[in-house]
Amino acid sequence: MTDFVQVSTATETREQAVDWARSAVQGRLAAGAQIIGSVTSVFWHDGEFGTGEEWQLLLKTQQSRYAQLEAHLLKHHPWPTPEIAAVPIVAGSEACLRWLAGNSKPAE
């Protein structure tokens, strides 16, 4: 079941997160997306400690689609070094994984 990943990133506004979710899902780079927010992030950046409010975006896709999804997110991201991370989906209901596979493959 490691053919699937959940990809996360964050952005400054809800509108950006919604736009990225829509474009990724409509382009079948991901089968679905969830937007969580706002969240508080605590981080180090350029040697400085900081906190900020962000909107988290979670996308579900096939491992084979990750590179295209990452490129899509990087193309639209305003931050020079955004966090984009993928974690394997190690288990899931059979019906859910069938849905994920069927909806994250390129349109014919």
Side-chain angles (χ1 to χ4, degrees):
M1 289 194 199
T2 58
D3 295 339
F4 305 103
V5 293
Q6 179 171 276
V7 179
S8 65
T9 192
T11 188
E12 293 176 320
T13 69
R14 180 184 183 279
E15 292 75 23
Q16 282 178 329
V18 170
D19 287 346
W20 297 349
R22 283 186 178 148
S23 62
V25 173
Q26 285 177 337
R28 295 195 177 264
L29 297 172
Q34 296 168 313
I35 298 163
I36 303 165
S38 66
V39 297
T40 300
S41 291
V42 180
F43 52 85
W44 283 98
H45 181 70
D46 291 336
E48 294 187 21
F49 181 78
T51 61
E53 183 176 277
E54 300 175 340
W55 290 81
Q56 186 175 32
L57 178 59
L58 302 176
L59 301 122
K60 286 85 174 161
T61 194
Q62 297 181 60
Q63 175 68 39
S64 62
R65 301 289 280 159
Y66 174 79
Q68 293 170 305
L69 178 57
E70 179 187 277
H72 176 77
L73 295 171
L74 287 171
K75 178 181 177 184
H76 298 288
H77 214 295
W79 300 341
T81 55
E83 175 188 340
I84 300 174
V87 295
I89 297 174
V90 297
S93 71
E94 186 177 330
C96 177
L97 296 179
R98 271 196 316 269
W99 166 84
L100 202 162
N103 288 289
S104 59
K105 61 183 178 183
E108 297 176 14

